[in-house]
Amino acid sequence: MSSSERFGRAVKLGAVSALSLVALVVPAAGAGSAVAAPSGDCFTPAHAADRGKDGHADTVAPAEAARIEADMQSKLAGKRTARTAQAAAVSIPVYFHVITSGSTGNLPASTISKQISVLNSAYASSGFSFSLVSTDYTNNSTWYNGITDGTSAERNMKNALRKGGKNALNIYTANLGDDLLGWATFPSNYSSQPKLDGVVILDESLPGRSATNYNEGDTATHEVGHWMGLYHTFQGGCSGSGDYVSDTPAEATATSGCPTNKDTCTSTGKDPVHNFMDYSYDSCMYEFTAGQATRMQNSWTAYRA
């Protein structure tokens, strides 16, 4: 991850930038060691057994995570009307930006609609829903082919296309470089770099596309989780504050595939391999915990409300 705040589901780890990024990288089958600590963006891999390559590091450095936590709690303390699990639902406006190279990468409206449905299903119990406002198509081979986090191509793309305010989810699709599945910014980075705010995902990770094991739409689910303030479930390993969510069991290493009895820490509970914030196959992911929902609500109140 970089010093900025981005999280993602990527295949390969990259350098950390001045933003707080967290990369999502998929380890090879049987592998499970965590990667260097990121400070901002999160990334996700695009190919089979590659979710562990998030573009940057798999976890945020403890000091950076503590800084973000203190900042969020400070902002919450100043907002007496902080959201709770019982608060009114929030509908998030979504702007979809499809980058193409000629006809390559052109996503039909039906595929985008399916992706929005996947998000609404995944976040149904969290108090958030997603409403597509608009879709635009941009033919730009430089932006489409091999774009990665922190590059001039990414900055130029987002500066040209991003729409809406701090509550607006901007999703960009392209053929990402470094075998990445995607990356996302953290909400705490919006105030300093609003134009970079959003989620970038591999076009072939959308529902029904060609990214084997990662083509049911949950790369977007995972990256939006980072955009909402969540860390990976393996953040911090078996010790420390972990992902700052009490009901996600501690996990020493990212998950590859869909193991049935993965248990890497001695604390109570098996590894949360079915959680959207791990690196499991799309077919294996199906839940956010109540604690994650509360964290998303608090993060929204602190940074996006």
Side-chain angles (χ1 to χ4, degrees):
M1 278 172 66
S2 78
S3 58
S4 58
E5 269 187 351
R6 302 186 188 182
F7 266 98
R9 217 182 178 186
V11 184
K12 188 182 282 185
L13 293 179
V16 182
S17 74
L19 298 175
S20 289
L21 311 172
V22 176
L24 173 57
V25 179
V26 175
S33 57
V35 276
S39 60
D41 285 353
C42 179
F43 302 77
T44 305
H47 305 302
D50 273 335
R51 195 188 297 286
K53 299 180 181 178
D54 241 343
H56 291 313
D58 285 304
T59 60
V60 179
E64 177 71 2
R67 182 195 67 76
I68 294 170
E69 183 68 13
D71 182 65
M72 184 174 75
Q73 294 303 325
S74 175
K75 285 180 169 56
L76 285 173
K79 296 185 177 183
R80 302 302 180 187
T81 58
R83 281 172 46 81
T84 67
Q86 291 74 41
V90 169
S91 178
I92 299 173
V94 180
Y95 297 89
F96 225 98
H97 309 288
V98 180
I99 312 302
T100 69
S101 179
S103 61
T104 304
N106 189 31
L107 300 173
S110 59
T111 297
I112 295 170
S113 178
K114 289 176 183 177
Q115 180 64 79
I116 297 297
S117 293
V118 168
L119 290 175
N120 278 319
S121 177
Y123 287 85
S125 63
S126 70
F128 296 96
S129 62
F130 302 85
S131 178
L132 182 64
V133 176
S134 67
T135 301
D136 53 64
Y137 293 79
T138 302
N139 180 12
N140 187 313
S141 60
T142 299
W143 295 353
Y144 179 76
N145 290 301
I147 190 170
T148 56
D149 176 71
T151 60
S152 59
E154 182 203 16
R155 291 192 297 273
N156 293 339
M157 176 184 73
K158 289 182 172 181
N159 274 296
L161 299 178
R162 192 186 186 283
K163 297 178 181 179
K166 59 186 177 181
N167 70 322
L169 172 60
N170 282 251
I171 299 177
Y172 305 81
T173 64
N175 180 30
L176 311 186
D178 291 341
D179 291 328
L180 297 175
L181 283 174
W183 65 86
T185 56
F186 281 125
S188 54
N189 268 57
Y190 180 84
S191 61
S192 62
Q193 300 195 33
K195 278 292 188 178
L196 294 183
D197 184 70
V199 168
V200 182
I201 57 176
L202 178 73
D203 52 1
E204 295 303 326
S205 74
L206 272 71
R209 303 296 287 185
S210 67
T212 304
N213 296 318
Y214 305 103
N215 62 351
E216 296 182 17
D218 284 325
T219 287
T221 303
H222 178 103
E223 298 307 338
V224 170
H226 290 309
W227 184 82
M228 298 284 283
L230 297 182
Y231 296 119
H232 292 128
T233 51
F234 47 88
Q235 165 75 22
C238 297
S239 61
S241 299
D243 61 355
Y244 289 86
V245 176
S246 61
D247 59 357
T248 54
E251 184 178 25
T253 59
T255 300
S256 177
C258 193
T260 56
N261 291 297
K262 182 169 177 271
D263 192 4
T264 55
C265 295
T266 58
S267 54
T268 302
K270 293 182 180 179
D271 290 7
V273 301
H274 301 300
N275 196 283
F276 288 118
M277 302 315 294
D278 203 342
Y279 278 177
S280 313
Y281 289 165
D282 279 17
S283 59
C284 191
M285 295 175 154
Y286 56 75
E287 66 183 358
F288 286 118
T289 66
Q292 286 175 314
T294 296
R295 182 170 180 81
M296 286 189 280
Q297 292 155 3
N298 287 339
S299 181
W300 186 272
T301 298
Y303 298 111
R304 298 197 184 279

